Amino acid sequence: MLAGAGASLKMRNVLLENCSTTGRGGAVCVRDGGQLDAEFVSVLGCSAELEGGGVYLGRKSRAQVRDSVFHDCTAGDGGAFHLLNATLSAQRVSMHLNTAVTSRGGALNGVEGSRISVRDHSRFENNSSPDYGGMCNVEDVSSLKLSDGVTVSG
């Protein structure tokens, strides 16, 4: 699925399984300035050769994700999510067994001023990366905020 520059994508009660790309965003690619609103979405076994095995968020993009699962997604960077100067707000999400196969951010990878907020009993389990941030990598003035009962293990 692709949300083009400035476009909006809404998903509710959706299963995205075994999606893949040789580029960015194995299941969903939100281009520059786009918006994603996802609720009760399962992203399972998706992959991207470059970034964002589950979801790629381009410059100035925004995503709100609630009550969703990201399982067994892989990418070069950002197994479940890769953000490039983008914003992610996640509530009650589960991210497990996601892998960055090349370098950074097993579940989440935020670069170039990205803002990531995860809360409300979200869970991260057994995510991995060979270099930086098995669960999450943030760099280049990016930020990560975990609150309200978030659990990280494995």
Side-chain angles (χ1 to χ4, degrees), residues 73-135:
C73 295
T74 61
D77 290 329
F81 276 88
H82 179 85
L83 293 81
L84 174 67
N85 191 9
T87 301
L88 170 63
S89 175
Q91 297 170 274
R92 298 173 304 280
V93 297
S94 177
M95 296 189 192
H96 50 281
L97 293 173
N98 299 292
T99 306
V101 295
T102 305
S103 184
R104 308 172 291 185
L108 302 168
N109 191 47
V111 300
E112 294 189 20
S114 293
R115 293 163 306 284
I116 302 170
S117 172
V118 182
R119 60 192 183 117
D120 294 342
H121 303 285
S122 294
R123 297 185 61 83
F124 294 85
E125 297 174 333
N126 300 312
N127 298 288
S128 63
S129 168
D131 289 330
Y132 306 107
M135 175 269 207

